[in-house]
Amino acid sequence: MLRQSGVQALRAALELAAGDPRQWRSVAAIASAQDLPAPMLEQLLLQLRRAQLVEARRGRLGGYRLRRPAREIPVAELLAAVGAMPDLGGRAPQATASTSASGPDGDMAPADPEAQVLLALERRLRRALERELAALSLEELLYDLRSWRETLSNGGGLMLG
């Protein structure tokens, strides 16, 4: 469901969120920690910088860091910044000229009731996904990540949620 660019942007953002928020992290360090190709990561970080989600500093001690606290960064904003908002993948029923009527969006909509119900369901699912991604913060994903790491460690912690 998530595009590769979205997954990689989330991994990079989680790497930045996991450390000291004041610390600058180089592209090489982030790429190495997350096993991501550095040139592609650099492009994603530039997109995140343009969207004002990360800030950059040049030089030997430079790199990238989150511009805001992780709790203030919605996952939807991060995915949108790299053009990776998920698609439900479904295809709406195709309308034909003889069986179409203008829908509420001005689009041609299928005239049969079953197709209308399926189109409405797809719209509802898309809105629900958008609401959930807008409500989910990077900090919540970081919490989940830390919980999973603890669960999988030798100590065998408890995964909640």
Side-chain angles (χ1 to χ4, degrees):
M1 182 184 290
L2 287 178
R3 294 182 186 158
Q4 185 171 354
S5 61
V7 170
Q8 292 169 336
L10 285 169
R11 290 175 66 122
L14 284 168
E15 184 66 27
L16 292 171
D20 180 351
R22 297 168 304 204
Q23 181 183 4
W24 297 94
R25 301 282 309 273
S26 70
V27 171
I30 299 167
S32 175
Q34 291 296 320
D35 196 26
L36 297 171
M40 180 277 316
L41 178 60
E42 178 98 46
Q43 293 303 310
L44 290 173
L45 288 168
L46 287 172
Q47 290 174 318
L48 294 176
R49 190 185 69 153
R50 278 187 226 114
Q52 299 186 353
L53 294 170
V54 300
E55 53 187 351
R57 184 169 79 178
R58 294 180 187 224
R60 189 173 59 85
L61 300 176
Y64 290 88
R65 66 183 181 189
L66 294 177
R67 189 175 180 121
R68 303 187 308 244
R71 72 179 170 279
E72 296 177 12
I73 300 176
V75 171
E77 188 177 349
L78 202 142
L79 294 174
V82 297
M85 281 298 283
D87 185 10
L88 294 176
R91 283 281 170 233
Q94 296 297 313
T96 62
S98 62
T99 63
S100 300
S102 182
D105 302 350
D107 297 335
M108 295 304 283
D112 64 288
E114 290 83 1
Q116 290 291 342
V117 168
L118 293 175
L119 284 170
L121 174 61
E122 186 176 312
R123 285 191 296 271
R124 290 172 78 179
L125 288 171
R126 186 167 283 114
R127 285 192 306 266
L129 179 60
E130 289 168 359
R131 274 193 312 270
E132 189 64 27
L133 290 174
L136 183 64
S137 73
L138 186 60
E139 183 176 63
E140 292 173 87
L141 290 184
L142 182 60
Y143 176 81
D144 291 347
L145 175 64
R146 289 176 175 155
S147 295
W148 274 109
R149 284 181 177 161
E150 183 61 30
T151 299
L152 298 174
S153 73
N154 292 334
L158 174 64
M159 174 64 192
L160 302 173

